[in-house]
Amino acid sequence: MKIKSFDELSSLELDTLREIGSIGTGNAATALGQLLEREVRITLPEVRIMGYNEAIDWIGGPEAVTAGVLVGMSGQMSGVMLSVQQLEFVNLVLETMLGVHINDYAELDEMHQSTLIEVGNILISTFINALSGLSGIAVSLTVPGFAVDMQGAILAVPMAMYGGTSDYLMTIGGNFVCDKKQVPCHLLLSPDVRSLNFLLAKLGVAE
Amino acid sequence: MNEKITVGIADMKMARDSGVLITYALGSCIGLCFEDPALRLGALLHVMLPMNMEAGRKNVFKYADTGIRETLRQMTAKGALKTRITVKIAGGAKMFEVNGGSLGNIGQRNIESVHTILRQEGIRLIAEDVGGKVARTLLFDVATGQGCIRSYGRQDVLF
């Protein structure tokens, strides 16, 4: 049976998506570890189906400023994938790769920004490659977009995309752990409902 | 200090005489401040999409067309007159510059839809701060009719 809305997913389907999240985030962590030349682990990935206002509370409030890298997906699967980079993560990347530390996003110059975009792009592409290899779904990705702004507005991008069909936002993703410290960098995959059905069917779990 | 009333996404709240209505982090979404100055009745609406094409129409405030009409209905039910009601809007930004994909410019479509519906309903639009690529938090003081827009990396805008 095809689902019409994210809140209709069965527990088997949710487990499958969690597994996708685990493999995707795991691969992304390995890529990040190679970039930073240190060990990066992941926290237990989560699949969340949230109402709009709930999603914004979950990520840490609407007005908190974060950096976001966004990549659009098309091909056999459409939707967006976001890398929401909070300040701790930004500093982990900038300190390791460029040797600079920032206290506020306003200090980001062009070099810093393109570093963050590239890291975000690598994390997202690695995640999607893993998903693609696992399911045999061909996904093409757009050039990444970058914004530093209130995270409520960043998270509203996938919400607005599916707002016409769903009152919920589904995200698959996890956080990184580096030097035993949790570094918040939410990797969020938000496919649309049609793509989600296709993915579940490809993986053989659509009921 | 004035009481603050938070308006969520796809939501609308009304206040009379006093109170500050606030909605956070408008990206491509649009916030609309409705006011009937004679009654000192104000409403703040946060819509996300231009048109309601949903079959069930569960959440009217998610869309510009049904959201605006429902807000006007509730205001007139409290005695407001459509000829007196004025509107100020903020939002409709484009957060990410991404070529291709299925993103489109929802912010721009929202702005156009809000303009069209207000014209159809004969409601005066007296101020706007829309477009661009900056997120906005919108505050609306019902007692004075003063609106304020807070953004990251930009001065507050009073309107």
Side-chain angles (χ1 to χ4, degrees):
Chain A
M1 193 191 78
K2 280 193 177 166
I3 58 156
K4 290 199 191 72
S5 170
F6 297 127
D7 53 331
E8 293 170 16
L9 288 167
S10 71
S11 61
L12 174 68
E13 290 165 338
L14 285 173
D15 278 343
T16 310
L17 294 174
R18 203 168 289 127
E19 193 52 33
I20 294 272
S22 187
I23 292 164
T25 318
N27 277 281
T30 309
L32 183 65
Q34 283 166 358
L35 272 176
L36 302 179
E37 294 178 340
R38 58 174 88 179
E39 191 184 41
V40 177
R41 295 173 174 276
I42 55 170
T43 59
L44 199 65
E46 291 177 299
V47 176
R48 285 183 158 267
I49 295 146
M50 297 171 280
Y52 303 138
N53 296 302
E54 188 190 346
I56 285 175
D57 287 339
W58 164 75
I59 199 134
E63 276 196 304
V65 171
T66 54
V69 177
L70 177 135
V71 172
M73 301 184 281
S74 56
Q76 288 181 304
M77 190 163 168
S78 55
V80 293
M81 183 137 187
L82 262 174
S83 155
V84 179
Q85 308 173 338
Q86 285 164 357
L87 206 54
E88 255 177 275
F89 178 83
V90 169
N91 274 321
L92 174 71
V93 170
L94 294 184
E95 277 168 16
T96 319
M97 299 183 73
L98 300 174
V100 292
H101 180 93
I102 60 161
N103 296 310
D104 188 285
Y105 287 102
E107 296 167 30
L108 290 175
D109 66 16
E110 237 172 82
M111 184 65 196
H112 304 155
Q113 289 197 9
S114 64
T115 307
L116 293 177
I117 296 175
E118 207 36 52
V119 169
N121 195 24
I122 289 169
L123 296 179
I124 292 171
S125 314
T126 315
F127 188 114
I128 298 293
N129 270 339
L131 179 148
S132 193
L134 201 69
S135 59
I137 293 178
V139 186
S140 23
L141 300 176
T142 64
V143 174
F146 182 74
V148 172
D149 216 316
M150 299 178 194
Q151 56 188 8
I154 290 175
L155 212 55
V157 174
M159 288 178 192
M161 277 185 74
Y162 318 123
T165 47
S166 173
D167 278 336
Y168 298 88
L169 179 71
M170 188 196 71
T171 62
I172 303 170
N175 278 321
F176 298 119
V177 181
C178 187
D179 296 337
K180 293 187 180 133
K181 216 172 59 187
Q182 190 162 328
V183 187
C185 169
H186 301 280
L187 262 184
L188 305 176
L189 170 72
S190 312
D192 62 16
V193 175
R194 187 190 57 83
S195 307
L196 188 61
N197 278 316
F198 186 63
L199 174 66
L200 290 169
K202 273 275 187 183
L203 293 168
V205 290
E207 284 172 11
Chain B
M1 194 51 209
N2 261 324
E3 185 199 354
K4 269 196 185 151
I5 305 159
T6 303
V7 180
I9 298 173
D11 189 13
M12 188 276 289
K13 295 271 165 59
M14 242 187 295
R16 193 154 185 176
D17 294 324
S18 70
V20 174
L21 300 165
I22 178 165
T23 196
Y24 295 100
L26 294 156
S28 59
C29 299
I30 294 196
L32 300 95
C33 313
F34 293 78
E35 189 193 16
D36 181 337
L39 297 181
R40 283 215 284 183
L41 177 68
L44 181 59
L45 168 68
H46 182 148
V47 297
M48 191 174 184
L49 291 169
M51 285 287 182
N52 193 340
M53 319 263 233
E54 223 174 317
R57 300 209 162 200
K58 274 176 294 186
N59 192 348
V60 290
F61 297 126
K62 190 153 81 179
Y63 305 93
D65 56 347
T66 48
I68 291 172
R69 292 197 175 106
E70 176 63 15
T71 306
L72 290 172
R73 193 190 66 73
Q74 293 195 20
M75 286 182 78
T76 46
K78 287 194 187 302
L81 290 179
K82 276 170 84 175
T83 49
R84 282 199 307 245
I85 295 175
T86 57
V87 169
K88 300 176 197 175
I89 65 171
K94 189 172 194 208
M95 298 305 296
F96 289 93
E97 210 55 61
V98 177
N99 294 324
S102 49
L103 273 163
N105 192 343
I106 294 172
Q108 188 57 37
R109 286 196 284 132
N110 278 337
I111 298 169
E112 284 161 14
S113 175
V114 166
H115 285 167
T116 309
I117 313 282
L118 289 176
R119 206 176 312 122
Q120 281 170 4
E121 295 293 322
I123 301 293
R124 278 180 299 149
L125 176 67
I126 56 170
E128 63 178 7
D129 177 36
V130 291
K133 47 177 206 169
V134 64
R136 298 167 171 93
T137 285
L138 175 62
L139 294 95
F140 180 49
D141 187 342
V142 174
T144 59
Q146 179 77 64
C148 176
I149 299 154
R150 258 194 334 233
S151 298
Y152 173 72
R154 201 181 76 156
Q155 281 221 303
D156 287 4
V157 178
L158 292 175
F159 79 151

